[in-house]
Coordinates of all heavy atoms in Angstrom, one line a residue:
R107 N -10.4 2.5 1.0 CA -10.5 3.4 -0.2 C -9.6 2.9 -1.4 O -10.0 3.0 -2.5 CB -10.1 4.8 0.2 CG -10.4 5.8 -0.9 CD -11.8 6.1 -1.0 NE -12.1 7.1 -2.0 CZ -13.3 7.6 -2.2 NH1 -14.4 7.2 -1.5 NH2 -13.6 8.6 -3.1
L108 N -8.5 2.3 -1.0 CA -7.5 1.9 -2.0 C -7.8 0.5 -2.5 O -7.1 0.0 -3.4 CB -6.1 1.9 -1.5 CG -5.5 3.3 -1.2 CD1 -4.2 3.2 -0.5 CD2 -5.3 4.1 -2.5
G109 N -8.8 -0.2 -1.9 CA -9.2 -1.5 -2.3 C -8.2 -2.6 -1.8 O -8.0 -3.6 -2.4
M110 N -7.6 -2.3 -0.6 CA -6.6 -3.2 -0.1 C -7.2 -4.2 0.9 O -6.5 -4.9 1.7 CB -5.5 -2.4 0.7 CG -4.7 -1.5 -0.2 SD -3.4 -0.6 0.7 CE -2.3 -2.0 1.0
G111 N -8.5 -4.5 0.8 CA -9.1 -5.4 1.7 C -8.8 -6.9 1.4 O -8.2 -7.2 0.3
T112 N -9.1 -7.8 2.3 CA -8.9 -9.2 2.0 C -10.3 -9.8 1.9 O -11.3 -9.1 2.0 CB -8.1 -9.9 3.2 OG1 -8.7 -9.5 4.4 CG2 -6.7 -9.3 3.2
A113 N -10.3 -11.1 1.7 CA -11.6 -11.8 1.5 C -12.6 -11.6 2.6 O -13.8 -11.5 2.3 CB -11.3 -13.3 1.2
A114 N -12.2 -11.6 3.8 CA -13.1 -11.4 4.9 C -13.3 -9.9 5.1 O -12.4 -9.1 4.8 CB -12.5 -12.0 6.2
P115 N -14.4 -9.5 5.7 CA -14.6 -8.0 6.0 C -13.8 -7.5 7.1 O -14.3 -7.1 8.2 CB -16.1 -8.0 6.3 CG -16.5 -9.3 6.8 CD -15.6 -10.3 6.1
A116 N -12.5 -7.6 7.0 CA -11.6 -7.3 8.1 C -11.6 -5.9 8.5 O -11.6 -5.6 9.7 CB -10.2 -7.7 7.7
S117 N -11.6 -5.0 7.6 CA -11.6 -3.5 7.9 C -12.8 -3.1 8.7 O -12.7 -2.4 9.7 CB -11.5 -2.7 6.6 OG -10.3 -2.9 6.0
A118 N -14.0 -3.5 8.3 CA -15.2 -3.2 9.0 C -15.2 -3.8 10.4 O -15.6 -3.1 11.4 CB -16.4 -3.7 8.2
G119 N -14.7 -5.0 10.5 CA -14.7 -5.7 11.8 C -13.7 -5.0 12.8 O -13.9 -4.8 14.0
A120 N -12.5 -4.6 12.2 CA -11.5 -4.0 13.0 C -12.0 -2.6 13.5 O -11.8 -2.2 14.7 CB -10.2 -3.8 12.2
L121 N -12.7 -1.8 12.6 CA -13.2 -0.5 13.0 C -14.2 -0.7 14.1 O -14.3 0.1 15.1 CB -13.8 0.2 11.8 CG -12.9 1.0 10.9 CD1 -13.6 1.4 9.7 CD2 -12.3 2.1 11.7
A122 N -15.1 -1.7 14.0 CA -16.1 -1.9 15.0 C -15.5 -2.3 16.4 O -16.0 -1.8 17.4 CB -17.1 -3.0 14.5
K123 N -14.5 -3.1 16.4 CA -13.9 -3.5 17.6 C -13.2 -2.3 18.3 O -13.2 -2.1 19.5 CB -12.9 -4.6 17.4 CG -13.5 -5.9 17.0 CD -12.5 -7.0 16.7 CE -13.2 -8.3 16.4 NZ -12.2 -9.4 16.0
I124 N -12.5 -1.5 17.5 CA -11.8 -0.4 18.0 C -12.8 0.6 18.7 O -12.6 1.1 19.8 CB -11.0 0.4 16.9 CG1 -9.8 -0.5 16.5 CG2 -10.5 1.7 17.4 CD1 -9.0 0.0 15.3
E125 N -13.9 0.9 18.0 CA -14.9 1.8 18.5 C -15.5 1.3 19.7 O -15.9 2.0 20.6 CB -15.9 2.1 17.4 CG -15.3 2.9 16.2 CD -16.4 3.2 15.2 OE1 -17.5 2.7 15.3 OE2 -16.1 4.0 14.3
R126 N -15.7 0.0 19.8 CA -16.3 -0.6 21.0 C -15.5 -0.6 22.3 O -16.1 -0.4 23.3 CB -16.7 -2.1 20.7 CG -17.5 -2.8 21.7 CD -18.1 -4.1 21.3 NE -17.1 -5.1 21.0 CZ -16.8 -5.5 19.8 NH1 -17.5 -5.0 18.7 NH2 -15.9 -6.4 19.5
V127 N -14.2 -0.7 22.2 CA -13.4 -0.7 23.4 C -12.8 0.7 23.8 O -12.3 0.8 24.9 CB -12.2 -1.7 23.2 CG1 -12.7 -3.1 22.9 CG2 -11.2 -1.2 22.1
L128 N -12.9 1.6 22.9 CA -12.4 3.0 23.2 C -13.3 3.7 24.2 O -14.6 3.5 24.1 CB -12.2 3.8 21.9 CG -11.0 3.4 21.0 CD1 -11.0 4.2 19.8 CD2 -9.7 3.5 21.7
P129 N -12.8 4.6 25.0 CA -13.7 5.4 25.9 C -14.5 6.3 25.0 O -14.2 6.7 23.9 CB -12.7 6.2 26.7 CG -11.4 6.1 26.0 CD -11.4 4.8 25.2
H130 N -15.7 6.7 25.6 CA -16.6 7.5 24.8 C -16.0 8.8 24.3 O -16.3 9.3 23.2 CB -17.8 7.8 25.7 CG -18.9 8.7 25.0 ND1 -19.8 8.2 24.1 CD2 -19.1 10.0 25.1 CE1 -20.6 9.1 23.7 NE2 -20.2 10.2 24.3
A131 N -15.2 9.5 25.2 CA -14.6 10.7 24.8 C -13.7 10.6 23.6 O -13.5 11.6 22.8 CB -13.7 11.3 26.0
L132 N -13.2 9.5 23.3 CA -12.4 9.3 22.1 C -13.2 8.6 21.0 O -12.9 8.9 19.8 CB -11.1 8.4 22.4 CG -10.1 8.1 21.3 CD1 -9.6 9.4 20.7 CD2 -9.0 7.3 21.8
R133 N -14.2 7.8 21.3 CA -15.0 7.1 20.3 C -15.8 8.1 19.5 O -15.8 7.9 18.2 CB -15.9 6.2 21.0 CG -16.7 5.2 20.1 CD -17.7 4.4 20.8 NE -17.2 3.9 22.1 CZ -17.9 3.7 23.1 NH1 -19.2 4.0 23.1 NH2 -17.3 3.2 24.2
E134 N -16.3 9.1 20.1 CA -17.2 10.1 19.3 C -16.4 10.9 18.3 O -16.8 11.0 17.1 CB -17.9 11.0 20.3 CG -19.0 10.3 21.0 CD -20.1 9.7 20.1 OE1 -20.5 10.5 19.2 OE2 -20.4 8.6 20.2
P135 N -15.2 11.5 18.6 CA -14.5 12.2 17.6 C -14.0 11.3 16.5 O -14.0 11.7 15.3 CB -13.3 12.7 18.4 CG -13.7 12.8 19.8 CD -14.6 11.6 20.0
L136 N -13.6 10.0 16.8 CA -13.2 9.1 15.7 C -14.4 8.7 14.8 O -14.2 8.6 13.6 CB -12.5 7.9 16.3 CG -11.1 8.1 16.9 CD1 -10.6 6.9 17.5 CD2 -10.2 8.7 15.9
A137 N -15.5 8.5 15.4 CA -16.7 8.2 14.6 C -17.0 9.4 13.7 O -17.4 9.2 12.5 CB -17.9 7.9 15.5
A138 N -16.9 10.6 14.2 CA -17.1 11.8 13.4 C -16.1 11.9 12.2 O -16.5 12.2 11.1 CB -17.0 13.1 14.2
M139 N -14.9 11.5 12.5 CA -13.9 11.5 11.4 C -14.3 10.5 10.4 O -14.2 10.8 9.1 CB -12.5 11.2 12.0 CG -11.4 10.8 11.0 SD -11.1 12.2 9.9 CE -10.2 13.3 11.0
R140 N -14.7 9.3 10.8 CA -15.0 8.2 9.8 C -16.2 8.7 9.0 O -16.3 8.4 7.8 CB -15.3 7.0 10.6 CG -15.8 5.8 9.7 CD -15.9 4.5 10.4 NE -16.7 4.6 11.6 CZ -18.0 4.5 11.7 NH1 -18.7 4.4 10.6 NH2 -18.6 4.6 12.9
E141 N -17.2 9.3 9.6 CA -18.4 9.7 8.8 C -18.3 10.9 8.0 O -19.0 11.1 7.0 CB -19.6 9.9 9.9 CG -20.0 8.6 10.6 CD -20.9 8.9 11.7 OE1 -21.4 10.1 11.8 OE2 -21.2 8.0 12.5
T142 N -17.4 11.8 8.3 CA -17.2 13.0 7.5 C -16.0 13.1 6.6 O -16.0 14.0 5.7 CB -17.2 14.2 8.5 OG1 -16.0 14.1 9.3 CG2 -18.4 14.3 9.4
L143 N -15.1 12.2 6.7 CA -13.9 12.2 5.9 C -14.2 12.0 4.4 O -15.0 11.1 4.0 CB -12.9 11.1 6.3 CG -11.6 11.0 5.6 CD1 -10.8 12.3 5.7 CD2 -10.8 9.8 6.0
S144 N -13.7 12.8 3.5 CA -13.9 12.7 2.1 C -12.5 12.6 1.4 O -11.5 13.0 2.0 CB -14.6 13.9 1.5 OG -15.9 14.1 2.1
F145 N -12.5 12.0 0.2 CA -11.3 11.8 -0.5 C -11.4 12.5 -1.9 O -12.5 12.5 -2.5 CB -11.0 10.3 -0.8 CG -10.7 9.5 0.5 CD1 -11.8 9.0 1.3 CD2 -9.4 9.2 0.9 CE1 -11.5 8.3 2.5 CE2 -9.2 8.5 2.0 CZ -10.2 8.1 2.8
T146 N -10.3 13.0 -2.4 CA -10.4 13.6 -3.7 C -10.3 12.5 -4.8 O -10.8 12.7 -5.9 CB -9.2 14.5 -3.9 OG1 -7.9 13.8 -3.7 CG2 -9.3 15.7 -3.0
A147 N -9.7 11.3 -4.5 CA -9.6 10.2 -5.5 C -10.8 9.3 -5.4 O -11.3 9.1 -4.3 CB -8.3 9.5 -5.2
N148 N -11.1 8.7 -6.5 CA -12.3 7.8 -6.5 C -11.9 6.5 -5.8 O -10.7 6.1 -5.8 CB -12.6 7.5 -8.0 CG -13.2 8.6 -8.7 OD1 -13.9 9.5 -8.1 ND2 -13.0 8.7 -10.0
A149 N -12.8 5.9 -5.2 CA -12.6 4.6 -4.5 C -12.2 3.5 -5.6 O -12.7 3.5 -6.7 CB -13.8 4.2 -3.7
V150 N -11.4 2.6 -5.1 CA -11.0 1.5 -6.0 C -11.7 0.3 -5.6 O -11.8 -0.1 -4.4 CB -9.4 1.3 -5.9 CG1 -9.0 0.0 -6.7 CG2 -8.7 2.5 -6.4
I151 N -12.3 -0.4 -6.5 CA -13.0 -1.7 -6.2 C -11.9 -2.8 -6.3 O -11.4 -3.1 -7.4 CB -14.1 -2.0 -7.2 CG1 -15.1 -0.9 -7.1 CG2 -14.7 -3.3 -7.0 CD1 -16.2 -1.0 -8.2
G152 N -11.5 -3.3 -5.2 CA -10.4 -4.2 -5.1 C -10.8 -5.7 -5.4 O -11.9 -6.0 -5.2
Q153 N -9.8 -6.5 -5.8 CA -10.0 -7.9 -6.0 C -9.4 -8.5 -4.7 O -8.1 -8.6 -4.6 CB -9.3 -8.4 -7.3 CG -9.8 -7.7 -8.5 CD -11.2 -8.1 -8.8 OE1 -11.6 -9.2 -8.6 NE2 -12.0 -7.2 -9.3
A154 N -10.2 -8.9 -3.8 CA -9.7 -9.3 -2.5 C -9.1 -10.7 -2.5 O -9.8 -11.7 -2.9 CB -10.9 -9.2 -1.5
P155 N -7.9 -10.9 -2.0 CA -7.3 -12.2 -1.8 C -7.7 -12.8 -0.5 O -8.2 -12.1 0.4 CB -5.8 -12.0 -1.9 CG -5.7 -10.6 -1.3 CD -6.9 -9.8 -1.7
G156 N -7.5 -14.1 -0.3 CA -7.7 -14.7 1.0 C -6.6 -14.3 1.9 O -5.4 -14.2 1.6
T157 N -7.0 -14.0 3.2 CA -6.0 -13.5 4.2 C -4.9 -14.5 4.4 O -3.7 -14.1 4.4 CB -6.7 -13.3 5.5 OG1 -7.8 -12.3 5.3 CG2 -5.7 -12.7 6.5
G158 N -5.2 -15.8 4.5 CA -4.2 -16.8 4.7 C -3.2 -16.9 3.6 O -2.0 -17.1 3.8
V159 N -3.7 -16.8 2.4 CA -2.9 -16.9 1.2 C -1.9 -15.7 1.1 O -0.7 -15.8 0.9 CB -3.7 -17.0 -0.1 CG1 -2.9 -16.8 -1.4 CG2 -4.5 -18.3 -0.2
L160 N -2.5 -14.5 1.4 CA -1.6 -13.3 1.3 C -0.5 -13.3 2.3 O 0.6 -13.0 2.0 CB -2.5 -12.1 1.5 CG -1.9 -10.7 1.5 CD1 -1.2 -10.4 0.2 CD2 -2.9 -9.6 1.8
L161 N -0.9 -13.7 3.6 CA 0.2 -13.7 4.6 C 1.2 -14.8 4.4 O 2.4 -14.6 4.6 CB -0.5 -14.0 6.0 CG -1.4 -12.8 6.5 CD1 -2.1 -13.2 7.8 CD2 -0.7 -11.5 6.6
A162 N 0.7 -16.0 3.9 CA 1.7 -17.1 3.6 C 2.7 -16.7 2.5 O 3.9 -17.0 2.6 CB 0.9 -18.3 3.1
L163 N 2.2 -16.0 1.5 CA 3.2 -15.5 0.4 C 4.1 -14.5 1.0 O 5.3 -14.4 0.6 CB 2.4 -15.0 -0.7 CG 1.6 -16.0 -1.6 CD1 0.7 -15.3 -2.6 CD2 2.6 -16.9 -2.3
A164 N 3.6 -13.6 1.8 CA 4.5 -12.5 2.4 C 5.6 -13.2 3.3 O 6.8 -12.8 3.2 CB 3.7 -11.5 3.2
Q165 N 5.2 -14.2 4.1 CA 6.2 -14.8 4.9 C 7.2 -15.6 4.1 O 8.4 -15.6 4.4 CB 5.4 -15.8 5.9 CG 4.7 -15.1 7.0 CD 4.0 -16.0 7.9 OE1 3.1 -16.8 7.5 NE2 4.4 -16.1 9.2
A166 N 6.7 -16.3 3.0 CA 7.6 -17.0 2.2 C 8.6 -16.1 1.5 O 9.8 -16.4 1.3 CB 6.9 -17.9 1.2
S167 N 8.1 -14.9 1.1 CA 9.0 -14.0 0.4 C 10.1 -13.5 1.3 O 11.3 -13.4 1.0 CB 8.2 -12.8 -0.1 OG 9.0 -11.8 -0.7
R168 N 9.7 -13.2 2.6 CA 10.7 -12.7 3.5 C 11.7 -13.8 3.9 O 12.9 -13.5 4.1 CB 10.0 -12.2 4.8 CG 11.0 -11.6 5.8 CD 10.3 -11.0 7.0 NE 9.6 -12.1 7.8 CZ 9.1 -11.9 9.0 NH1 9.0 -10.7 9.5 NH2 8.5 -12.9 9.7
A169 N 11.2 -15.0 4.1 CA 12.1 -16.1 4.4 C 12.8 -16.7 3.3 O 13.7 -17.6 3.5 CB 11.2 -17.2 5.1
R170 N 12.5 -16.3 2.0 CA 13.1 -16.8 0.8 C 12.9 -18.3 0.8 O 13.8 -19.1 0.6 CB 14.6 -16.5 0.8 CG 15.0 -15.0 0.6 CD 14.4 -14.5 -0.7 NE 14.8 -13.1 -1.0 CZ 14.0 -12.1 -1.0 NH1 12.7 -12.3 -0.6 NH2 14.4 -10.9 -1.3
A171 N 11.6 -18.7 0.9 CA 11.2 -20.1 0.9 C 10.3 -20.4 -0.3 O 9.4 -19.7 -0.5 CB 10.5 -20.4 2.2
T172 N 10.6 -21.5 -1.0 CA 9.8 -21.9 -2.1 C 8.4 -22.4 -1.6 O 8.3 -23.1 -0.5 CB 10.5 -23.0 -2.9 OG1 11.7 -22.6 -3.3 CG2 9.6 -23.5 -4.0
V173 N 7.4 -22.1 -2.3 CA 6.0 -22.6 -1.9 C 5.3 -23.2 -3.1 O 5.6 -22.8 -4.3 CB 5.2 -21.4 -1.3 CG1 5.7 -21.0 0.0 CG2 5.1 -20.3 -2.3
G174 N 4.3 -24.0 -2.9 CA 3.5 -24.5 -3.9 C 2.2 -23.7 -3.9 O 1.7 -23.4 -2.8
I175 N 1.6 -23.4 -5.1 CA 0.4 -22.7 -5.1 C -0.6 -23.4 -6.0 O -0.2 -24.1 -7.0 CB 0.6 -21.3 -5.7 CG1 1.1 -21.3 -7.1 CG2 1.5 -20.5 -4.8 CD1 1.1 -19.9 -7.8
N176 N -1.9 -23.3 -5.7 CA -3.0 -23.8 -6.5 C -3.6 -22.5 -7.2 O -4.2 -21.7 -6.6 CB -4.0 -24.4 -5.6 CG -5.2 -25.0 -6.4 OD1 -5.5 -24.5 -7.5 ND2 -5.8 -26.1 -5.9
H177 N -3.3 -22.4 -8.5 CA -3.6 -21.2 -9.2 C -4.7 -21.4 -10.3 O -4.7 -22.5 -11.0 CB -2.3 -20.7 -9.9 CG -2.5 -19.4 -10.7 ND1 -2.7 -19.5 -12.1 CD2 -2.6 -18.1 -10.3 CE1 -2.8 -18.2 -12.5 NE2 -2.8 -17.4 -11.5
Q178 N -5.5 -20.4 -10.5 CA -6.6 -20.5 -11.5 C -6.3 -19.3 -12.5 O -6.3 -18.1 -12.1 CB -7.9 -20.3 -10.9 CG -9.1 -20.2 -11.9 CD -10.4 -20.1 -11.3 OE1 -10.9 -21.0 -10.6 NE2 -11.0 -18.9 -11.4
S179 N -6.1 -19.6 -13.7 CA -5.9 -18.6 -14.7 C -7.2 -17.8 -15.1 O -8.3 -18.2 -14.7 CB -5.3 -19.2 -16.0 OG -6.3 -19.9 -16.7
W180 N -7.0 -16.8 -15.9 CA -8.2 -16.1 -16.3 C -9.1 -16.9 -17.2 O -10.3 -16.6 -17.4 CB -7.8 -14.8 -17.0 CG -7.0 -15.0 -18.3 CD1 -5.7 -15.2 -18.4 CD2 -7.6 -15.0 -19.6 NE1 -5.3 -15.3 -19.8 CE2 -6.5 -15.2 -20.5 CE3 -8.8 -14.8 -20.2 CZ2 -6.6 -15.3 -21.9 CZ3 -9.0 -14.9 -21.6 CH2 -7.9 -15.1 -22.4
R181 N -8.5 -18.0 -17.8 CA -9.3 -18.9 -18.6 C -10.0 -20.0 -17.7 O -10.6 -21.0 -18.2 CB -8.5 -19.6 -19.6 CG -7.8 -18.7 -20.7 CD -7.1 -19.5 -21.7 NE -6.5 -18.7 -22.7 CZ -5.2 -18.3 -22.7 NH1 -4.5 -18.6 -21.6 NH2 -4.7 -17.5 -23.6
Q182 N -9.9 -19.8 -16.4 CA -10.5 -20.8 -15.5 C -9.7 -22.1 -15.4 O -10.3 -23.2 -15.1 CB -12.0 -21.0 -15.7 CG -12.8 -19.8 -15.8 CD -12.8 -18.9 -14.6 OE1 -13.0 -19.5 -13.5 NE2 -12.6 -17.6 -14.7
E183 N -8.5 -22.1 -15.9 CA -7.7 -23.3 -15.8 C -6.9 -23.4 -14.5 O -6.2 -22.5 -14.1 CB -6.7 -23.3 -17.0 CG -7.4 -23.3 -18.4 CD -6.4 -23.1 -19.5 OE1 -5.2 -22.7 -19.2 OE2 -6.7 -23.3 -20.7
H184 N -7.0 -24.6 -13.9 CA -6.3 -24.8 -12.6 C -5.0 -25.5 -12.8 O -4.9 -26.5 -13.5 CB -7.2 -25.6 -11.6 CG -8.4 -24.8 -11.2 ND1 -8.5 -24.1 -10.0 CD2 -9.7 -24.7 -11.8 CE1 -9.7 -23.6 -9.9 NE2 -10.4 -23.9 -10.9
T185 N -4.0 -25.0 -12.1 CA -2.6 -25.6 -12.2 C -2.0 -25.6 -10.8 O -2.3 -24.8 -9.9 CB -1.7 -24.9 -13.1 OG1 -1.5 -23.5 -12.7 CG2 -2.2 -25.0 -14.5
E186 N -1.2 -26.7 -10.5 CA -0.4 -26.7 -9.3 C 1.0 -26.4 -9.7 O 1.5 -27.1 -10.6 CB -0.5 -28.1 -8.7 CG -1.9 -28.5 -8.2 CD -2.2 -27.9 -6.8 OE1 -1.3 -27.4 -6.2 OE2 -3.4 -28.0 -6.4
R187 N 1.7 -25.5 -9.1 CA 3.0 -25.1 -9.4 C 3.8 -24.6 -8.2 O 3.2 -24.2 -7.3 CB 3.0 -24.1 -10.6 CG 2.4 -22.8 -10.2 CD 2.3 -21.8 -11.4 NE 1.3 -22.3 -12.4 CZ 1.4 -21.9 -13.6 NH1 2.3 -21.1 -14.1 NH2 0.5 -22.3 -14.5
D188 N 5.1 -24.7 -8.3 CA 6.0 -24.2 -7.3 C 6.6 -22.9 -7.7 O 6.9 -22.7 -8.9 CB 7.1 -25.2 -7.0 CG 6.7 -26.4 -6.3 OD1 5.5 -26.5 -5.9 OD2 7.5 -27.4 -6.1
I189 N 6.6 -21.9 -6.8 CA 7.2 -20.6 -7.1 C 8.2 -20.2 -6.0 O 8.0 -20.6 -4.9 CB 6.1 -19.5 -7.3 CG1 5.4 -19.3 -6.0 CG2 5.1 -19.9 -8.4 CD1 4.4 -18.1 -6.1
D190 N 9.1 -19.3 -6.4 CA 10.0 -18.6 -5.5 C 9.5 -17.2 -5.4 O 9.7 -16.4 -6.3 CB 11.4 -18.6 -6.0 CG 12.0 -20.0 -6.1 OD1 11.5 -20.9 -5.4 OD2 12.9 -20.2 -6.9
P191 N 8.7 -16.8 -4.4 CA 8.1 -15.5 -4.3 C 9.2 -14.4 -4.0 O 9.7 -14.3 -2.9 CB 7.1 -15.6 -3.2 CG 7.6 -16.7 -2.3 CD 8.4 -17.6 -3.2
Y192 N 9.5 -13.5 -5.0 CA 10.4 -12.5 -4.7 C 9.8 -11.3 -4.0 O 10.5 -10.5 -3.4 CB 11.0 -12.0 -6.1 CG 11.8 -13.0 -6.8 CD1 12.1 -12.9 -8.2 CD2 12.4 -14.1 -6.2 CE1 12.8 -13.8 -8.9 CE2 13.1 -15.1 -6.9 CZ 13.3 -14.9 -8.2 OH 14.1 -15.9 -8.9
G193 N 8.5 -11.1 -4.2 CA 7.9 -10.0 -3.5 C 6.4 -9.9 -3.7 O 5.9 -10.5 -4.7
V194 N 5.7 -9.3 -2.8 CA 4.2 -9.0 -2.9 C 4.0 -7.6 -3.2 O 4.6 -6.7 -2.6 CB 3.5 -9.4 -1.6 CG1 2.1 -9.0 -1.7 CG2 3.7 -11.0 -1.4
V195 N 3.1 -7.3 -4.2 CA 2.9 -5.9 -4.6 C 1.4 -5.6 -4.7 O 0.6 -6.5 -5.2 CB 3.5 -5.7 -6.0 CG1 3.3 -4.2 -6.5 CG2 5.0 -6.0 -6.1
F196 N 1.0 -4.5 -4.2 CA -0.4 -4.0 -4.3 C -0.4 -2.9 -5.4 O 0.3 -2.0 -5.3 CB -0.9 -3.5 -3.0 CG -2.3 -3.0 -3.1 CD1 -3.4 -3.8 -3.1 CD2 -2.6 -1.6 -3.3 CE1 -4.7 -3.4 -3.2 CE2 -3.9 -1.1 -3.4 CZ -4.9 -2.0 -3.4
H197 N -1.3 -3.1 -6.4 CA -1.3 -2.1 -7.5 C -2.7 -2.0 -8.0 O -3.4 -2.9 -8.4 CB -0.4 -2.6 -8.6 CG -0.4 -1.8 -9.9 ND1 0.2 -0.5 -9.9 CD2 -1.0 -1.9 -11.1 CE1 0.0 0.0 -11.1 NE2 -0.7 -0.8 -11.8
T198 N -3.2 -0.7 -7.9 CA -4.6 -0.3 -8.4 C -5.7 -1.3 -8.1 O -6.4 -1.8 -8.9 CB -4.5 -0.1 -9.9 OG1 -4.1 -1.3 -10.6 CG2 -3.6 1.0 -10.2
G199 N -5.8 -1.7 -6.8 CA -6.9 -2.5 -6.3 C -6.6 -4.0 -6.4 O -7.6 -4.8 -6.1
R200 N -5.4 -4.4 -6.8 CA -5.2 -5.9 -6.9 C -3.8 -6.2 -6.2 O -2.9 -5.4 -6.2 CB -5.1 -6.3 -8.4 CG -6.5 -6.3 -9.0 CD -6.4 -6.6 -10.5 NE -7.7 -6.7 -11.1 CZ -7.9 -6.7 -12.4 NH1 -6.9 -6.5 -13.3 NH2 -9.2 -6.7 -12.9
W201 N -3.8 -7.4 -5.7 CA -2.5 -7.9 -5.1 C -1.9 -8.9 -6.0 O -2.5 -9.7 -6.7 CB -2.9 -8.6 -3.8 CG -3.4 -7.8 -2.7 CD1 -4.7 -7.5 -2.4 CD2 -2.6 -7.1 -1.7 NE1 -4.7 -6.7 -1.3 CE2 -3.5 -6.4 -0.8 CE3 -1.2 -7.1 -1.4 CZ2 -3.0 -5.7 0.3 CZ3 -0.8 -6.3 -0.3 CH2 -1.7 -5.7 0.5

Side-chain angles (χ1 to χ4, degrees):
R107 189 74 178 183
L108 292 172
M110 293 184 73
T112 53
S117 296
L121 276 171
K123 289 178 181 178
I124 290 172
E125 292 179 352
R126 186 168 61 248
V127 301
L128 289 175
H130 180 79
L132 184 54
R133 188 187 316 150
E134 286 302 311
L136 288 178
M139 169 63 74
R140 176 171 53 83
E141 294 172 7
T142 61
L143 178 63
S144 300
F145 294 83
T146 57
N148 293 329
V150 174
I151 300 176
Q153 301 293 325
T157 302
V159 169
L160 180 61
L161 294 179
L163 289 171
Q165 288 179 296
S167 177
R168 184 178 67 173
R170 295 294 187 253
T172 301
V173 293
I175 62 171
N176 184 329
H177 179 261
Q178 176 181 290
S179 72
W180 64 275
R181 297 187 181 92
Q182 308 299 313
E183 298 171 347
H184 291 266
T185 58
E186 298 279 350
R187 60 184 73 200
D188 289 354
I189 65 170
D190 299 334
Y192 294 161
V194 172
V195 181
F196 178 80
H197 178 70
T198 60
R200 289 175 178 165
W201 292 91

